[in-house]
Amino acid sequence: MSWSKSVEPALVHSRILVPQRYHGQPVISRLVSRYGLTVNIKAASLTSDNDSDGWFDLELSGNPEKLTNSLSYLQGLGVNLLQLAIANQIQPNQHSLTFPNPASKLSSKDSASLTNQWQEEFQQWISLGQTNRLRLQLCILKTYYEEPVISELVSRYGLTVNITSARLQPDTQDDGWFDLDLWGRTKQLYSSLSYLEKLGLPIWLDLFSVCSDR
């Protein structure tokens, strides 16, 4: 009788430097959908309106072979892997790059108000004839810094997620901010927004961009 041997998941920390030419590509989303990884973004700086490279501090976990293949995929794109470290062996230095323009912290009242208004905006988005693409700004509250929220949008709801702008600074009391371009079916998009609402994360839907694309 043959016994299948389970493979313990590996955990890797890495800072990746994303060239400007790939800012329009869902690079991190593919790490989840293509390689089955769980990706937690620990820190990030990405600006959509300039020519500079963006960077992300990532915690990657998953099958060791697929994890190795995912790193090869990033290198094949020309994404630089900086401070690559195996968890519990070498800890990456989180402070070697400065974080520009930290976002202000939302009050609990503002957060609750923004969390509850997305359903009306979603109906407006549908009325504009959109069915598969949704742009939004997502606030990652400090209490969710250790949770792979964006990774869950890909693995749990089957979305393609492109991060077009990001500001996330570790070891502060500031909230993190992500501009996201989501691709998927209407039901998937609605379910993903419901998930974010249950977490209590503020969401702004970018309806102006929908009108501009028409």
Side-chain angles (χ1 to χ4, degrees):
M1 179 182 294
S2 62
W3 295 88
S4 60
K5 188 175 181 180
S6 61
V7 178
E8 290 293 329
L11 184 64
V12 166
H13 295 287
S14 179
R15 171 167 289 175
I16 68 171
L17 192 65
V18 182
Q20 194 275 337
R21 65 181 180 276
Y22 284 112
H23 288 187
Q25 299 296 321
V27 174
I28 293 178
S29 179
R30 288 174 184 156
L31 298 179
V32 181
S33 61
R34 185 177 297 181
Y35 299 100
L37 303 182
T38 297
V39 180
N40 189 17
I41 302 171
K42 309 288 286 186
S45 178
L46 178 67
T47 305
S48 60
D49 57 358
N50 63 31
D51 294 330
S52 62
D53 295 337
W55 59 265
F56 294 88
D57 283 350
L58 303 180
E59 182 182 80
L60 307 172
S61 61
N63 176 279
E65 181 179 357
K66 291 183 177 180
L67 190 53
T68 300
N69 291 339
S70 73
L71 298 177
S72 297
Y73 158 72
L74 291 175
Q75 290 178 314
L77 292 178
V79 174
N80 292 326
L81 304 179
L82 308 176
Q83 301 174 327
L84 181 65
I86 306 301
N88 302 322
Q89 296 182 18
I90 307 172
Q91 291 300 321
N93 180 3
Q94 299 281 2
H95 305 287
S96 61
L97 292 178
T98 58
F99 188 88
N101 303 320
S104 59
K105 187 174 179 63
L106 284 177
S107 68
S108 57
K109 181 179 179 181
D110 291 338
S111 176
S113 174
L114 290 167
T115 302
N116 294 328
Q117 73 180 27
W118 69 267
Q119 293 197 31
E120 180 180 344
E121 294 177 341
F122 192 81
Q123 292 302 318
Q124 295 178 35
W125 171 78
I126 292 176
S127 71
L128 292 169
Q130 297 297 305
T131 57
N132 62 359
R133 182 187 187 187
L134 182 61
R135 293 177 180 174
L136 59 86
Q137 186 172 72
L138 171 66
C139 177
I140 301 292
L141 303 177
K142 180 66 177 177
T143 51
Y144 281 97
Y145 269 27
E146 297 301 319
E147 301 296 327
V149 174
I150 294 178
S151 180
E152 286 289 290
L153 298 180
V154 182
S155 61
R156 183 182 298 189
Y157 300 102
L159 300 179
T160 297
V161 180
N162 184 28
I163 302 171
T164 59
S165 183
R167 301 187 302 276
L168 180 65
Q169 183 178 18
D171 304 325
T172 73
Q173 294 304 310
D174 294 321
D175 300 322
W177 302 80
F178 289 87
D179 290 341
L180 304 178
D181 204 348
L182 307 181
W183 295 84
R185 296 180 179 178
T186 303
K187 184 177 180 179
Q188 293 171 301
L189 292 166
Y190 184 89
S191 297
S192 69
L193 296 181
S194 297
Y195 159 71
L196 296 174
E197 180 186 27
K198 289 178 182 178
L199 296 181
L201 299 179
I203 309 164
W204 292 261
L205 303 192
D206 186 0
L207 299 181
F208 176 77
S209 67
V210 175
C211 298
S212 301
D213 289 344
R214 298 188 70 187

